[in-house]
């Protein structure tokens, strides 16, 4: 499969690229500038593209970048203090994917997932559930998911990580869920970035979630 990865230099994106390469896929990594090309693995095709605005001309350019690929993966995350950009970046990618006719897998956030205690709260709305430091990106991820729900042209899937997504071991195992936060017997909701990449590539190879969100956990 030929896939293009946005956010390929990030913590999650770099692991997605590694997992895709290990499975024998052909990968294009999108970077923001020529200076970043050297940071892309030599077995990956580097592509310089701007996804920071959603105007018509830029959407057409992004569609050209995506054209010829079987799948686009977005692991884009704005810098701290710029969380609100996530929605416009996602809008650009969805618009370009629709124009290019390319399926897109989005690495989202846990914000919209319901808590398993049947309280009716979500990860974002539950009192004192999130540390103050992560509330801005959680709000941005909620808005990102709502944008996806309004998107009817692009063929998208939205993967929500659990509450904790950290570097770790690749076990190749995970649990699959839909709209409820997956917790273990001790109440932990976590997965390694490595196993998260495994789940994402499994969905890439065997699509099961069309225009819906899903979630995974260890």
């Amino acid at each position: 499969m030929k896939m293009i990865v946005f956010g390929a230099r990030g913590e999650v994106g770099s692991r997605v690229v590694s997992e895709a390469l290990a499975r024998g896929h052909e990968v294009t990594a999108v970077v923001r500038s020529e200076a970043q090309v050297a940071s892309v693995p030599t077995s990956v095709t580097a592509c310089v593209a701007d996804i920071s605005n959603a105007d018509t001309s830029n959407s057409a350019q992004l569609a050209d970048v995506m054209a010829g690929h079987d799948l686009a993966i977005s692991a884009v995350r704005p810098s701290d203090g710029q969380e609100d950009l996530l929605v416009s970046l996602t809008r650009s990618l969805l618009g370009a994917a629709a124009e290019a006719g390319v399926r897109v897998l989005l690495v989202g956030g846990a914000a919209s997932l319901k808590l398993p205690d049947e309280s009716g709260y979500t990860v974002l709305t539950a009192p004192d559930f999130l540390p103050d430091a992560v509330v801005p990106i959680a709000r941005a991820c909620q808005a990102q998911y709502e944008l996806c729900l309004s998107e009817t042209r692009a063929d998208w899937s939205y993967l929500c990580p659990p509450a904790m997504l950290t570097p770790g071991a690749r076990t190749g195992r995970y649990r699959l869920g839909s709209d409820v936060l997956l917790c273990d017997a001790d109440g932990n909701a976590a997965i390694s970035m490595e196993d998260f990449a495994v789940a994402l590539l499994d969905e890439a190879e065997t699509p099961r979630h069309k225009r819906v969100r899903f979630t995974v956990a260890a």
Side-chain angles (χ1 to χ4, degrees):
M1 183 183 296
K2 187 176 182 181
M3 56 185 66
I4 183 167
V5 181
F6 296 83
R9 296 175 67 250
E11 286 195 304
V12 173
S14 61
R15 287 165 171 83
V16 169
V17 169
S18 295
E19 181 69 23
L21 291 174
R23 297 186 186 207
H25 296 296
E26 184 178 346
V27 179
T28 300
V30 178
V31 295
R32 291 193 302 270
S33 67
E34 290 289 347
Q36 295 176 334
V37 170
S39 65
V40 173
T42 55
S43 54
V44 172
T45 300
C47 175
V48 179
D50 177 20
I51 63 169
S52 61
N53 70 71
D55 65 29
T56 302
S57 61
N58 193 58
S59 179
Q61 292 172 0
L62 281 179
D64 287 342
V65 167
M66 288 189 190
H69 292 87
D70 303 303
L71 174 75
I73 295 176
S74 171
V76 171
R77 273 294 178 273
S79 303
D80 291 345
Q82 298 183 307
E83 291 86 357
D84 288 347
L85 290 176
L86 184 61
V87 172
S88 61
L89 294 174
T90 303
R91 183 178 292 111
S92 292
L93 290 170
L94 289 172
E99 188 171 340
V102 175
R103 178 172 173 244
V104 59
L105 283 178
L106 297 156
V107 175
S112 63
L113 295 174
K114 300 174 185 176
L115 297 189
D117 59 8
E118 299 184 352
S119 64
Y121 286 117
T122 65
V123 168
L124 178 60
T125 62
D128 303 318
F129 186 85
L130 291 174
D132 290 344
V134 302
V135 169
I137 189 60
R139 287 174 175 161
C141 287
Q142 176 68 40
Q144 179 193 40
Y145 175 58
E146 291 173 3
L147 171 66
C148 288
L149 290 178
S150 70
E151 172 58 53
T152 58
R153 297 184 305 143
D155 182 4
W156 59 268
S157 301
Y158 189 91
L159 177 53
C160 299
M164 296 297 296
L165 180 62
T166 55
R170 183 194 185 282
T171 70
R173 300 186 302 273
Y174 58 89
R175 291 176 294 144
L176 187 64
S178 55
D179 60 355
V180 177
L181 185 71
L182 295 175
C183 299
D184 63 18
D186 297 320
N188 299 313
I191 195 170
S192 69
M193 292 179 179
E194 288 75 7
D195 280 340
F196 187 80
V198 170
L200 192 69
L201 265 295
D202 284 351
E203 175 67 23
E205 293 174 344
T206 308
R208 292 193 285 176
H209 302 88
K210 184 180 178 67
R211 293 201 177 106
V212 294
R213 70 177 166 194
F214 64 109
T215 188
V216 293

